[in-house]
Structures are given as structure tokens and as C-alpha cells.
């Protein structure tokens, strides 16, 4: 992101008033620009393929095509680098949120969240980060993965990690930032990024949010545990 290249955002929401508010909020920021709007999921997919935004703010419940299906189509049908999709929901434990994360969304925001939180989320997504805070990630993922049958054994892929990579993985699952991990392990932050990249590659994961989901789905974090 530079002053001459602001973060481009596509806003998809079927409620005209909500969409107008998001457009006004995002458009008022010097480092953000709204490049397209959509009133349903199908339009969001079409517009995303036309304008190639950096970030898509996607309402999860829309007519014609819901946000979950739209997210899948955008992320699997992108000709170039896929945009970062952030789902919007009214409920903090909306079941569709978990499915959206599985579909490739990088996080979620509540529509009633403070404006500064939404803007922080857009910027974090554009920077390749995860925008679900540790305080929210645990309860959200635990609520839904707890309904799934826990695997009897850890996944085989975990054995591919070195001891240091496993340390980094465990700290990421706890919600630690790269800076915190570097301090805790007494290594450089660039080294943390290198280890994390190898962890994601070996486990076939997209990002930090996916890593947390992977840990919960494979019972690496026992249900009921708050780390």
C-alpha cells in the first residue's frame, strides 16, 4: 500500500442503507477507495471479476447468491491474485461465518462494530493479516468445531514440522502476533515469518485464521479450553 495506490474495496450488501454507510465510511479514508458496489452475491462475483479489488466486504446473507457461495466463486475463479474477502454479519455466532472461513474468507466483522474496527479489519486483510482477534476467534471456532467429531489421532502432516515450526504454529493458534512470537522465542521477526510460511505450506493452510481452524478441527485445542 502506498499513497498513490490506496487499498481498493468492493462492498456487497443487499441493504441499500447499510451499503451506503459502508461506502461513505470506507470512501472517506485517504488510504482506501471503493471501486465497486453490489446488492447481491451474483453481482458481487461479477463486479469482483471486473475490477479486481484488494478487499471484498461481503454480507453473508444476500439474495440471488448468498455471501458464502459468492466467496467461493470469487476465490476460486480469480484470474490474478485473489482478493481478500471479509464477511459481514449481524450475529457474532452466525453459523455461516464458520463456513465462510472454510470457503476462504480471511475473517469476519460484525455490522454493529465500531467504525474504526471495520477500517482496521479492511487494512489488516489487505496486508495479508487475520482480523479476528484472539478473544473472538476461540469462542467462535470452538462453538462450531465442537459439534464435529474429534479425530482420534493428530494429523500426519504435523510430523513434517520441525520443533521450531511447531512452536511457531502453537503460538499462532494462541493468537500471538509475529512480534510477540519473536520476543517469546528470542528470534528475529523475519525468522518468525519464514517459519510461519513453511508451516502454512507443509500443512496446506491459507493463513493464520485457517491455522487456528485447523487446530480446532483436529482437536489440537480441546473443546472448552481457552488459551
Amino acid at each position: 500500500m502506498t499513497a498513490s495506490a490506496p487499498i481498493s474495496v468492493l462492498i456487497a450488501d443487499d441493504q441499500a442503507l447499510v451499503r451506503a454507510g459502508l461506502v461513505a465510511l470506507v470512501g472517506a479514508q485517504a488510504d482506501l477507495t471503493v471501486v465497486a458496489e453490489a446488492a447481491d452475491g451474483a453481482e458481487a462475483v461479477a463486479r469482483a471479476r471486473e475490477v479486481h479489488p484488494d478487499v471484498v466486504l461481503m454480507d453473508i446473507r444476500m439474495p440471488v447468491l448468498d455471501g458464502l457461495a459468492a466467496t467461493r466463486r470469487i476465490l476460486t475463479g480469480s484470474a490474478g491474485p485473489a482478493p481478500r474477502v471479509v464477511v459481514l454479519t449481524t450475529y457474532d455466532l452466525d453459523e455461516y461465518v464458520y463456513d465462510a472461513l472454510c470457503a476462504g474468507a480471511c475473517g469476519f466483522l460484525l455490522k454493529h462494530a465500531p467504525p474504526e474496527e471495520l477500517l482496521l479489519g479492511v487494512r489488516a486483510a489487505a496486508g495479508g493479516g487475520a482480523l479476528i482477534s484472539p478473544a473472538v476467534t476461540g469462542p467462535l471456532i470452538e462453538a462450531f468445531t465442537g459439534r464435529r467429531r474429534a479425530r482420534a489421532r493428530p494429523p500426519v502432516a504435523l510430523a513434517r514440522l520441525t520443533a521450531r515450526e511447531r512452536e511457531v504454529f502453537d503460538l499462532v493458534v494462541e493468537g500471538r502476533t509475529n512480534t510477540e512470537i519473536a520476543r517469546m522465542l528470542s528470534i528475529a521477526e523475519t525468522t518468525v515469518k519464514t517459519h510461519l510460511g513453511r508451516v502454512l505450506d507443509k500443512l496446506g493452510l491459507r493463513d493464520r485464521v485457517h491455522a487456528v481452524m485447523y487446530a480446532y478441527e483436529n482437536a489440537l485445542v480441546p473443546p472448552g479450553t481457552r488459551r
Side-chain angles (χ1 to χ4, degrees), residues 2-171:
T2 65
S4 58
I7 298 168
S8 58
V9 183
L10 185 159
I11 296 175
D13 196 298
D14 65 318
Q15 298 180 21
L17 187 59
V18 173
R19 190 170 67 252
L22 292 171
V23 169
L25 174 65
V26 173
Q29 311 306 307
D31 61 331
L32 307 176
T33 181
V34 178
V35 292
E37 301 177 42
D40 59 61
E43 185 179 5
V45 174
R47 299 295 283 141
R49 291 175 179 174
E50 290 174 6
V51 301
H52 305 291
D54 297 315
V55 178
V56 177
L57 281 178
M58 179 79 74
D59 183 14
I60 201 74
R61 302 190 182 198
M62 291 187 290
V64 184
L65 190 69
D66 65 32
L68 175 59
T71 294
R72 287 197 179 109
R73 293 188 186 184
I74 288 174
L75 296 181
T76 58
S78 178
R84 302 281 287 174
V85 178
V86 179
V87 296
L88 298 171
T89 181
T90 304
Y91 308 101
D92 54 356
L93 289 181
D94 189 326
E95 292 190 36
Y96 287 104
V97 172
Y98 179 81
D99 291 335
L101 295 177
C102 289
C106 65
F108 83 98
L109 294 171
L110 298 177
K111 289 186 179 181
H112 59 263
E116 57 271 19
E117 183 175 318
L118 186 143
L119 295 172
L120 177 63
V122 171
R123 294 177 176 119
L131 51 92
I132 303 179
S133 70
V136 177
T137 301
L140 173 69
I141 297 178
E142 187 173 334
F144 300 114
T145 58
R147 302 176 187 177
R148 303 187 177 194
R149 182 179 300 174
R151 297 185 180 181
R153 299 179 181 178
V156 176
L158 279 179
R160 302 173 190 161
L161 303 184
T162 66
R164 179 63 86 187
E165 289 168 354
R166 181 57 192 267
E167 286 181 311
V168 170
F169 171 76
D170 289 341
L171 291 172

